[in-house]
Amino acid sequence: MKIERIEKHLVLNKYLLSLFGVEEFKELQKRLKDVEEGVDSDGRSHFINVLKSFRERKISEDALLTYDQNIQNYVRKISHKRGPIKLKYFQYLAVLFTEIVLDNLRNRKAEFIQELNEFLKDYKKKRDIDLIDEFTERDLNKIAFWMATGSGKTLIAHINYHQFFNYNLFSPDNIIFLTPNEGLSKQHFEELQKSGVPCRLYEGNLNGSRLYRGNNEVLVIEITKIVEEKKGGGLTIPVSAFEGRNLVFVDEGHKGKRSEEQKWAKIRNKLAEDGFVFEYSATFGQILDEKNKDTLKEYAKAIIFDYSYKYFYLDGYGKDFYVLNVKDIKQNKKIMENFREIMFVANMLDFYEQLLVYEKNRNIAREYNIEKPLWVFVGATVTGKGENSDVVEIVKFIRKVIKQEDWLREKVEEILSGKLRDEGGDIFRDKFHYIRELGFEVDDLYMRIFGGKGDFQVYEIKRAQGEFGLRVGDNPYFGVVNIGDTSKFKDELKKEGISIKDDAISDSLFDDIKKPDSLINILIGSKKFIEGWDTWRVSSMGLINIGKGQGPQIIQLFGRGVRLKGKDMSLKRSGEEGPLKILETLNIYSIKGDYLDEFLEAISKEGVEFETIRIPIKLLHEEKWKDLYIPAPKEGKKFEEEEVLRLSLDDKIFINLDVSIKLQKVERRKLEEDEGPEEIKLRTGQRLPEKTIHLLNWQRIWKEIYDFKIMRGYWNLVFDIDTLKTILQSDNYKVNTLPESLEVKTLDDLIRVEEIAILILKKYIDQFYKRHARRFETENMSCNHLGREYVLSGFVSSPYSYEVKITKSKENGKKNEELIKRLKELAEDLNKLCQEDHILKVICFDRHLYLPILLKKDSKDKDYDIVISPSGLVESEGKFIIGLMEYIEKNKDRFTNLEIYLLRNQSRSGIGFQLEWSRFYPDFIMWVKKPEKQIIVFIEPHGLIHAKGLDDEKIKFAHQIKEIEQSIGKKDLVLESFILSTTPYNDLIKGVASPPKQSEYERKNVLFLDDEDWPKKLFDRLLL
């Protein structure tokens, strides 16, 4: 079932999206994915600041800010042992949606159910679905998260634990964390400990008592150890042992096999009876189907957040992946005759190429946190009659490669020469560019993968159950087989003439894989991997023992294979070509075509089948680039390396902190419980009392500020407790808060004041550091000549191109195929791309330094997804270019002796400037070149509805850039900055007492896009 058809049934999720005035997750994705993680200097998350700006939202600002403070409190709790944690935008939304649901269940359940049913009634008509019936109270005892493997479900579960007890829906008799297997139980137990959540691992008994009442301890247990009725001995426990109201966490509770699914569901339902469930899965796309109506109805009302693999991948998270199209190969009889040999050698070549690239680019690999490549052969089940034969087959292939060098050379030549062809040409046309360029050396392959040449040997590792080591001669082990049925495996090897020796000395080779200096290159076997083995090394995957109906297991395997740390632990692909592209790609092969068919069928359900089309760009005016200046920091001058910055009291820094919203809700709750509603008066301009400052826990405050410094990347900032106290004792801040909220009468009061003190210090330090960073940058700016590194930042190279990914859709069928074919044609003809109507929105402006300029697709278009890299322009940016283009065309006489060039400035990788609160990357750079001087204009089409009047830092940048101009000291260079407000002036001044006149904004280089004279005013201000 196509993923879009499943998504439309997720009515609880759709209701929560509607609270923000959107219909689809991708509308939130578009607004939030590039927002800075973490909190601002007011102690509010950057995400909530964006969500507050949604005009159609139905949640009050007070409620959003309260939820935000709660979320930060939860994150602090789980960060205590782990160190600072910054939630990704999708993790934040998952937790925020949970806040909304739990708050409604706790404080307004009846109204909540009524609102859900009113929404459902309208939604069913709109989306033409009849399957879902009305919500009842019982429907809301479970909330589920559909989130890709690697998207942080574990941390979300830990936050959910704290959310449940914050809203205190009931006092649970038992708290149970259900996992599908022993490996994942151990993993969850260790992770819960890291987050400081009280927990224990089930090891065969419950000590005859309820363990969880006192300290809310979590029992981690495999669902396979819970039975309906206990029979005989063993580690199993009857479901009746968990009587009462239970809080249940379920991780990956779906196997895909119907009989097992029903058994597990029955146990889960019994445990959750009259209780509450949090469920997490990456594989709902494999089990939800309109044919299975009961399951679809259940989860349609339970899934509150959908961040399935499609979204994860399109956001740039995880590795890219390559799977050879088996169906095309099957049409070629010559290839099919030796299919297994070709697929094995191709898989090996891909792995060899990755090893080669890794060894030759260790510095790049280190910068992007890429670990040494590992070649794994894994399956979707841990046992089965197919496993032994598949593993033996792989071992035989390895032996053949090692023993028959001539055969290997022949196969490699066959693959690299382009002789293996289908209708589109060489089936490996997109592979092995690095090897082809460098030249293939068989001796080097033997050395890098197997450690050298010699006799192939298999050893049983006696000190590690189920392990067999693979080696060549006396060289170290290069591979390990991990298998369940060892005796049968040994029998099969003996039949093939492969003898097995004993190794009673070596420790586990499998455990060795995660060590930085590991020599293990190949892992064969499925058990450890499918049970949640935590590794980042997997780069090539051979599929074994995959059968029908194993979609959930396939997706879990795939999800673990594409895990990526990324630069600065961003979890994201770099988007770069060349060596990084090779290292950030998971290659997937199989010696059996049927396995690949099953794999591709499972992947297609996740909505991640894409056609990638490259649209080459045409560079314009390149001969002029050397004459164009660009301001840039002086070579080798970095603030964090050049200066040690000591925190001090700065009279030019003044902090206003408003903590009233956070405290009002608590105070209102008390008043309503005690005396009923009453007006709450705020007290503004307060400072912390001197005597209170000395009572604070300064070791804790110092640790919080130190963690904040590290999280912000303020490496060169030094401070001590005395300086922190001096800031709090100064007049450099004011706090707006409730009466008596800074008084200390109880321990809770002291903790509250401590939190306020930390917020004051963080806000002060933020401003202090960025003020000095801005000063350093201004003093150390120079002037470079424009080069390709500036113009082509973010583009795919060889040739420089946009990369356009389009979803392949079986439902749209022929229409989808025609669209892809049409775009491929247009990609080869720039004139047609610029002149004809088609699905891509394009601007072709001959003053821009390259063509075409692509715009983003409308996020409300649901027929297909188009993702453009580098990202396309938003509507206001497109409007700016068109307005500029039309004005220059109509006023040619004004520009007779001028040269004008424009460049889209890429966010984060382009030219940026340090402002008071953040780094600023203006959207466009325009050069106006006169015979005697050059004007560089930074232009930002930008909404100002949430700006702080003329004090907005982006508006004030027009003054700061003149300081940079003076620092550079080039007489023929002028720097300017303009804001083109997408917010009309009349909207901007609504509700403002004594607002600045439009002319005052214009004097500050703020123009308005709805003013048709804005281009004239811009050039007038440039004195042209």
Side-chain angles (χ1 to χ4, degrees), residues 75 171 186 207 338 459 517 647 703 714 742 760 774:
V75 171
S171 179
K186 289 178 180 175
N207 293 334
N338 60 356
Y459 284 81
D517 57 351
L647 184 65
K703 178 68 166 58
Y714 300 163
L742 297 183
I760 294 166
R774 184 181 66 183

Side-chain angles (χ1 to χ4, degrees), residues 193-292:
Q193 286 184 311
K194 288 180 190 175
S195 290
V197 176
C199 59
R200 65 169 291 190
L201 188 64
Y202 178 71
E203 293 175 326
N205 67 78
L206 297 179
N207 293 334
S209 65
R210 291 199 182 105
L211 303 165
Y212 327 110
R213 250 187 222 284
N215 63 352
N216 294 325
E217 188 177 56
V218 179
L219 177 72
V220 184
I221 183 172
E222 302 88 86
I223 194 168
T224 52
K225 288 181 180 172
I226 302 176
V227 293
E228 290 184 68
E229 187 179 340
K230 176 85 170 178
K231 295 178 181 178
L235 296 178
T236 58
I237 183 172
V239 71
S240 58
F242 301 99
E243 60 183 353
R245 300 187 76 184
N246 300 323
L247 173 60
V248 184
F249 296 85
V250 182
D251 181 33
E252 295 298 355
H254 306 282
K255 290 284 280 184
K257 293 181 179 178
R258 189 162 179 79
S259 58
E260 209 161 14
E261 190 76 39
Q262 290 173 338
K263 182 181 172 184
W264 282 18
K266 204 169 182 181
I267 291 170
R268 287 199 313 268
N269 292 341
K270 184 67 177 172
L271 287 172
E273 206 168 42
D274 299 322
F276 197 84
V277 177
F278 291 97
E279 184 168 348
Y280 314 89
S281 180
T283 63
F284 283 126
Q286 305 299 315
I287 62 132
L288 297 182
D289 196 300
E290 285 174 330
K291 295 174 185 175
N292 188 354

Side-chain angles (χ1 to χ4, degrees), residues 90-105:
F90 52 87
Q91 295 168 337
Y92 183 89
L93 286 174
V95 176
L96 178 61
F97 281 18
T98 309
E99 280 287 295
I100 295 168
V101 171
L102 294 181
D103 185 20
N104 277 284
L105 289 177

Side-chain angles (χ1 to χ4, degrees), residues 845 847 879-889 895 900-902 926 939 1014-1015 1018-1019:
F845 178 32
R847 298 289 91 197
K879 188 176 179 181
F880 154 70
I881 294 182
I882 291 169
L884 179 66
M885 184 168 61
E886 290 176 348
Y887 181 79
I888 292 174
E889 181 63 28
F895 303 101
I900 294 181
Y901 306 102
L902 185 71
M926 182 172 72
I939 300 170
W1014 74 258
L1018 186 148
F1019 287 108

Side-chain angles (χ1 to χ4, degrees), residues 104 106 120 137 143 216 255 268 305 318 362 390 417 432 468 520 555 656 708 792 819 856 877 893 904 924 934:
N104 277 284
R106 174 71 174 83
L120 175 62
E137 187 173 334
I143 55 180
N216 294 325
K255 290 284 280 184
R268 287 199 313 268
F305 194 68
R362 278 183 174 268
D390 283 350
S417 66
F432 313 124
F468 295 83
I520 300 296
I555 295 304
N656 266 308
F708 175 76
L792 300 169
L819 168 66
K856 284 185 178 178
E877 294 167 345
D893 292 347
R904 194 260 180 103
F924 295 94
Q934 186 174 142

